[in-house]
Amino acid sequence: MENTKKRILSGIQPSGDLHLGNYLGPLRHWPEMIEEFDCYFFMADLHTITVRQEPAALRKRTLTQIAQYIACGLDPEKCVLFVQSHVPAHSQLGWVLDCYTMFGELSRMTQFKDKSAKNADNINAGLFTYPALMAADILLYQADLVPVGDDQRQHVEICRDIAARFNGIYGDVFKVPEPYIAKVGARIKGLSAPEAKMSKSVPEGCVFLMEKPEDIMRKFKRAVTDSDTVNPVRYAPEEKPGVSNLIQIYAATTGKTYEDAEAEFAGKGYGDFKKTVGEAVVELLRPIREETERLLSDKAYLETVYRSGAERAASVANRTLGKVYKKVGLLSR
Ligand code: TYM
């Protein structure tokens, strides 16, 4: 029988340890999706090498990330977990899509502009064509929905444009996917500089999933707030970015609304507030960290997960790739 469930696909780069932004933005929603949808989640390792990586550390982080996916609730029996580079169709379709993606549209990508400013000595072609590879990741699986944080919205949009352009020439080859962006948690800001998104490149403001409770608490205690003293815990992102970010983290972590959080801290100062938010995050992450550590001590199990994931992913991906090769006129073997 034809599978009628909608298909979901998403990935995270193992370019750094997973952090609270990755978790509260997309990842925490994935386990509930596997019950309802046909889900593919991968480690976007090919994307990481657009920036220089230390090889042994990249391998280690990729394996850790698989363990973290499982520890967060992604049961490998109920969804497909795989490593991007284990499925060659990603690179193969990536090349084809490079030829259907315009220089001008790639030049407008915010992430390209940011990353080239940060890596001025290594503005390589891969960094530039990154969105075409990401489009290949998504389109290979004919995904209906792509759950990501807000910063990836533009990349899903360009993927839609590329798919529509290709379909316009060759007929309905690709499903045109929709981004799926949660309302709360889609843009977690850094604790030390709440103007910018939380990112591993500012480690003092970034809470990592594997971090020790005392280090997490220290980062929350030092979180930037403001000098407001009259009923200071209020959600007002423009006026109070640091405090609003902490409220967002608290709401996403506990499932409370912003109003409930404001009411809970009415009349209280920032000291109490930051401590409570920090403790909630520590308790949220504790079981994930412990389960990740347990899984990492069973490398043989992780290997079976990513091997079978790659096989299952490849059988879907190769079908789409074959269709694309035929459409564009490549001679079949
Ligand atoms: P990456 O690896 O930078 O981030 C992984 C996911 O985490 C989200 N995210 C955040 N969400 C909320 N607040 C934050 N501070 C925060 N920081 C990161 C991102 O939006 C993303 O959902 N190009 C992608 C990886 C990728 C991909 C794909 C995603 C490659 N191919 C295909 C979906 C589908 C990236 O660099 O995300």
Side-chain angles (χ1 to χ4, degrees):
M1 201 178 80
E2 187 74 9
N3 188 350
T4 51
K5 282 186 184 171
K6 285 204 170 183
R7 192 169 281 163
I8 296 243
L9 172 127
S10 197
I12 301 181
Q13 295 191 59
S15 51
D17 293 330
L18 289 187
H19 58 71
L20 197 59
N22 300 135
Y23 185 70
L24 294 181
L27 183 49
R28 80 187 156 112
H29 299 288
W30 297 354
E32 58 204 55
M33 293 174 175
I34 63 178
E35 303 298 336
E36 195 183 336
F37 302 104
D38 183 23
C39 292
Y40 291 75
F41 298 114
F42 68 102
M43 329 299 136
D45 59 344
L46 292 171
H47 280 96
T48 70
I49 61 168
T50 53
V51 174
R52 291 282 174 270
Q53 301 291 330
E54 209 276 288
L58 175 58
R59 270 189 285 274
K60 187 166 174 224
R61 283 196 306 265
T62 306
L63 196 68
T64 302
Q65 194 172 305
I66 301 167
Q68 286 175 309
Y69 277 12
I70 302 169
C72 288
L74 296 178
D75 177 348
E77 300 290 321
K78 294 188 180 167
C79 62
V80 180
L81 303 180
F82 66 100
V83 178
Q84 184 187 28
S85 63
H86 293 177
V87 183
H90 289 249
S91 310
Q92 293 168 305
L93 183 63
W95 169 252
V96 175
L97 296 184
D98 277 347
C99 304
Y100 292 80
T101 308
M102 300 302 132
F103 185 89
E105 56 190 350
L106 290 173
S107 312
R108 288 193 291 276
M109 293 291 113
T110 315
Q111 184 169 301
F112 172 67
K113 290 188 215 162
D114 286 354
K115 286 206 174 166
S116 25
K118 282 189 195 139
N119 302 283
D121 55 345
N122 183 22
I123 306 177
N124 59 70
L127 198 60
F128 188 63
T129 62
Y130 182 114
L133 179 60
M134 178 159 162
D137 299 337
I138 299 168
L139 300 178
L140 275 175
Y141 298 88
Q142 309 288 358
D144 295 278
L145 294 169
V146 184
V148 285
D150 197 46
D151 63 322
Q152 293 297 317
R153 184 190 295 274
Q154 198 182 33
H155 286 158
V156 181
E157 288 300 329
I158 193 177
C159 168
R160 289 168 54 84
D161 293 343
I162 297 167
R165 179 175 304 137
F166 197 92
N167 287 349
I169 307 171
Y170 301 106
D172 276 345
V173 178
F174 296 128
K175 170 78 67 57
V176 180
E178 300 281 343
Y180 182 96
I181 298 171
K183 286 204 180 65
V184 176
R187 189 170 279 265
I188 302 290
K189 309 290 178 64
L191 299 185
S192 57
E195 308 72 46
K197 69 171 180 180
M198 180 177 282
S199 119
K200 61 176 188 308
S201 56
V202 187
E204 63 277 18
C206 183
V207 174
F208 296 99
L209 263 49
M210 297 303 281
E211 220 162 353
K212 291 200 210 79
E214 56 272 30
D215 295 334
I216 297 178
M217 288 309 292
R218 188 173 34 79
K219 286 181 180 175
F220 274 98
K221 279 188 190 140
R222 290 188 189 156
V224 168
T225 49
D226 53 44
S227 53
D228 198 357
T229 51
V230 186
N231 209 12
V233 181
R234 275 183 292 120
Y235 186 78
E238 298 295 323
E239 189 194 332
K240 297 164 74 69
V243 174
S244 303
N245 185 44
L246 291 169
I247 294 178
Q248 183 186 199
I249 291 174
Y250 190 59
T253 300
T254 59
K256 294 180 182 174
T257 62
Y258 293 164
E259 293 75 26
D260 286 346
E262 285 174 340
E264 186 176 337
F265 297 104
K268 295 198 178 138
Y270 288 144
D272 281 345
F273 171 55
K274 292 201 270 191
K275 184 162 171 279
T276 308
V277 180
E279 284 167 354
V281 169
V282 164
E283 291 318 315
L284 175 79
L285 300 184
R286 188 189 302 281
I288 298 174
R289 189 188 69 242
E290 289 174 356
E291 180 63 0
T292 302
E293 280 163 359
R294 193 190 67 74
L295 287 161
L296 280 171
S297 67
D298 190 355
K299 301 254 175 354
Y301 169 68
L302 294 175
E303 235 175 75
T304 60
V305 169
Y306 67 69
R307 288 217 176 117
S308 100
E311 263 175 45
R312 289 161 72 193
S315 78
V316 176
N318 288 337
R319 224 175 301 145
T320 306
L321 183 72
K323 218 171 172 185
V324 168
Y325 273 11
K326 194 165 171 204
K327 289 282 183 189
V328 300
L330 305 184
L331 180 66
S332 76
R333 247 194 325 193

